Amino acid sequence: MTTSPTAYRPAQIILHWVVFAAIWVQWLFNEPMKRTIEAMQTGAATADGDMTMALVHVSFGSTIFLAVLARLYLRYRYGAPGPAPGTSPAQAKIATIVHWALYSTLIGMVITGGMTWNGVADLSYVHWLLNIVLFGLITAHAAAAIFNQFVRKDGTLRRMIPTRAK
C-alpha cells in the first residue's frame, strides 16, 4: 500500500489556479457565447465582437478540459494529500465527493459545450444546468476551504498556494 503525498506537486497547484481563472473567463464571456450560438442556430449574423468573445470562450473551455485531464493524470500518477489533520471521516468523504463532482462537472460542461458549438447536438440546456451545479460545487469548495483555514486553522489554503523552491 502506498502512502499519500504530504503536499500537492507544483504542477497540481498551478493547474488548480489555471482552471479557477479559466472558469471566471468562461462566466465573463457567457452572454456573447449564448448570442453567438443563437445566431449560428438561426442563421443570423453575430453582433460585433460576439464571435471573438465566443472563440475566447471555446479556447478557455478547451484549456479547462486539458487542465482537468492533466490534473486527473497527476492525481493518478502521484496521488493527492490526505485530509488536513483533525478532519472527520464524514468531512473527508464530503470533500472527496465534491472534488470528483467538480472534475466530472467540468468535463461534462466541455463535452456539452463542444457538442453544442460544433452543431452535433443542442445540449445548451444541459450545459446551463451543469453551470448551476458547477457554481454550487465551487461555492461549497471555497466555503469549506475558507472555513478550514480560518475557523479550524488547519492550513488548508496554504496547501494550494504556489511556493518558491528554496
Side-chain angles (χ1 to χ4, degrees):
M1 184 169 155
T2 61
T3 59
S4 294
T6 58
Y8 287 101
R9 293 178 157 276
Q12 290 172 303
I13 295 169
I14 290 166
L15 289 167
H16 173 271
W17 293 110
V18 164
V19 170
F20 170 83
I23 289 169
W24 279 102
V25 170
Q26 295 301 74
W27 285 337
L28 291 173
F29 290 99
N30 182 48
E31 288 304 315
M33 183 58 157
K34 287 188 337 191
R35 290 191 301 267
T36 301
I37 292 286
E38 185 177 314
M40 289 168 55
Q41 290 173 339
T42 62
T46 57
D48 286 344
D50 277 0
M51 180 58 81
T52 299
M53 290 185 252
L55 291 172
V56 169
H57 187 93
V58 170
S59 298
F60 275 78
S62 298
T63 300
I64 289 169
F65 184 65
L66 293 173
V68 168
L69 291 180
R71 286 197 68 195
L72 289 170
Y73 169 76
L74 291 171
R75 188 178 189 103
Y76 169 77
R77 177 76 173 88
Y78 300 108
T87 302
S88 74
Q91 288 171 318
K93 185 69 169 171
I94 291 168
T96 298
I97 290 168
V98 168
H99 280 109
W100 286 107
L102 280 164
Y103 291 133
S104 301
T105 302
L106 287 167
I107 290 170
M109 289 195 74
V110 172
I111 290 169
T112 58
M115 290 180 76
T116 301
W117 175 255
N118 290 299
V120 175
D122 184 2
L123 298 175
S124 54
Y125 182 72
V126 176
H127 191 74
W128 175 77
L129 288 174
L130 289 172
N131 186 49
I132 292 169
V133 170
L134 180 64
F135 185 80
L137 290 168
I138 289 171
T139 300
H141 179 68
I146 290 167
F147 175 81
N148 287 333
Q149 179 67 33
F150 297 108
V151 176
R152 290 187 58 221
K153 299 182 187 317
D154 65 6
T156 292
L157 291 180
R158 194 169 41 249
R159 293 165 28 135
M160 265 303 164
I161 302 297
T163 57
R164 297 175 124 188
K166 293 180 183 181

